[in-house]
Amino acid sequence: MREIDAKTITDAVESLCIDAACDLGQDVEQLISDAAKKESLPRAQYILNQLIDNIKLAREQQMPICQDTGMAVVFVEMGQDVHITGGYIIDAINEGVRSGYTKGYLRKSVVSNPIERINTGDNTPAIIHVEMVPGSSLSITVVPKGFGSENMSALKMLKPADGIDGIKAFVLDTVKAAGGNPCPPVILGIGIGGTMEKAAYIAKKALLRDAGQPNPNESVASLEQELLHAINALGIGPQGLGGTVTALAVHIETFATHIAGLPVAINMQCHASRHKTAVL
């Protein structure tokens, strides 16, 4: 049994919150750079180049890439041979979020009650997903999820008879309805299967994949590419002002489901697809 002190977790989460807000991954930056070279509309190309400049400036000056520093979503893969000492893991993660958003001067965007809407003042509580895995390591991924894109996300309980065509129609309708609201070019995380909540979970987790990396299943990867081409043919373009690049990537994850079900969840992600991971 390996022991990890709760303070170690807090310190790691604090750093991850600040790094994720200020340092966009090279995988996403490369896709935006590639998109700028492919974009045929001058105005859209200009916007994409501005996004690249913003990414570099944020990284160099350790400033948030976007004013919406998001609600902290934390994915934890906890080895079954790990024992947390000195505190409760959920409390340790929330303390790290509280400290990271304060020390990093990141905008606090969380309200304690969705009806009364009083700001908690420290961006807690975080949304925390803990998954038990084999081994003795602890992996923590912090995802600052902005709500310009989150609000454009959707879930639909399709019927099996709707099939692939029903999935495609739902995805394209969702992207068209979103327009420029999620700050395109977007990355789409799509979860297919499971139950209502499982589809939503794997849709968000799909966003953690290296941007543009295809699903290992060939038929799923083929659907990803087909949807990407169809979305980009909509002409919404960067920031919704027209162009040939509306999406940078489509990431699909699947899970077993009931014979009577075909749940499909779409988690929309803006071009600032931020996440950082620490393995303890």
Side-chain angles (χ1 to χ4, degrees):
M1 182 68 69
R2 178 170 172 240
E3 294 187 345
I4 298 178
D5 190 82
K7 180 66 165 56
T8 303
I9 296 170
T10 295
D11 291 344
V13 172
E14 176 189 299
S15 296
L16 291 171
C17 287
I18 297 170
D19 289 348
C22 303
D23 183 11
L24 190 65
Q26 297 284 349
D27 54 338
V28 183
E29 183 179 1
Q30 186 62 55
L31 283 186
I32 297 174
S33 179
D34 292 343
K37 294 169 186 172
K38 292 186 294 185
E39 180 57 66
S40 58
L41 191 69
R43 177 177 58 207
Q45 189 177 63
Y46 172 79
I47 291 170
L48 291 169
N49 285 324
Q50 287 290 299
L51 296 181
I52 294 167
D53 288 345
N54 183 62
I55 291 166
K56 292 177 178 176
L57 190 63
R59 185 181 295 132
E60 290 167 3
Q61 299 196 10
Q62 275 295 284
M63 296 174 65
I65 189 172
C66 177
Q67 77 276 7
D68 184 356
T69 49
M71 189 170 193
V73 181
V74 183
F75 289 91
V76 179
E77 291 186 350
M78 183 173 177
Q80 65 179 357
D81 297 325
V82 170
H83 175 61
I84 308 302
T85 61
Y88 177 42
I89 186 171
I90 302 300
D91 291 341
I93 291 170
N94 276 315
E95 183 57 36
V97 171
R98 180 179 295 110
S99 178
Y101 272 75
T102 299
K103 289 185 178 180
Y105 298 98
L106 308 179
R107 194 181 80 183
K108 286 81 172 178
S109 304
V110 174
V111 297
S112 59
N113 181 301
I115 306 301
E116 297 170 351
R117 309 199 69 81
I118 298 171
N119 198 298
T120 62
D122 57 14
N123 224 58
T124 66
I127 305 297
I128 303 170
H129 303 284
V130 180
E131 183 177 344
M132 296 299 296
V133 296
S136 58
S137 64
L138 184 69
S139 173
I140 303 173
T141 300
V142 172
V143 184
K145 192 63 172 71
F147 265 60
S149 58
E150 189 75 0
N151 284 341
M152 297 296 105
S153 301
L155 180 142
K156 191 169 186 178
M157 304 301 287
L158 296 175
K159 301 183 293 294
D162 293 322
I164 297 296
D165 287 342
I167 294 171
K168 293 177 188 175
F170 174 47
V171 172
L172 291 177
D173 287 347
T174 300
V175 174
K176 281 189 280 189
N181 290 318
C183 291
V186 297
I187 295 175
L188 261 64
I190 302 175
I192 304 174
T195 53
M196 179 186 72
E197 80 281 4
K198 183 67 173 183
Y201 172 73
I202 62 176
K204 184 167 258 93
K205 200 167 184 183
L207 296 172
L208 303 184
R209 194 193 306 169
D210 284 349
Q213 181 184 30
N215 188 291
N217 181 291
E218 287 186 14
S219 61
V220 176
S222 177
L223 180 58
E224 290 175 336
Q225 284 303 304
E226 187 177 348
L227 284 170
L228 180 61
H229 291 312
I231 290 166
N232 284 332
L234 294 174
I236 295 168
Q239 299 301 299
L241 296 175
T244 54
V245 182
T246 299
L248 298 170
V250 175
H251 293 175
I252 299 175
E253 294 294 335
T254 63
F255 196 81
T257 193
H258 191 278
I259 56 172
L262 182 58
V264 181
I266 301 167
N267 198 215
M268 197 83 72
Q269 173 58 55
C270 70
H271 67 275
S273 184
R274 302 161 290 182
H275 51 87
K276 293 292 182 183
T277 300
V279 179
L280 306 179

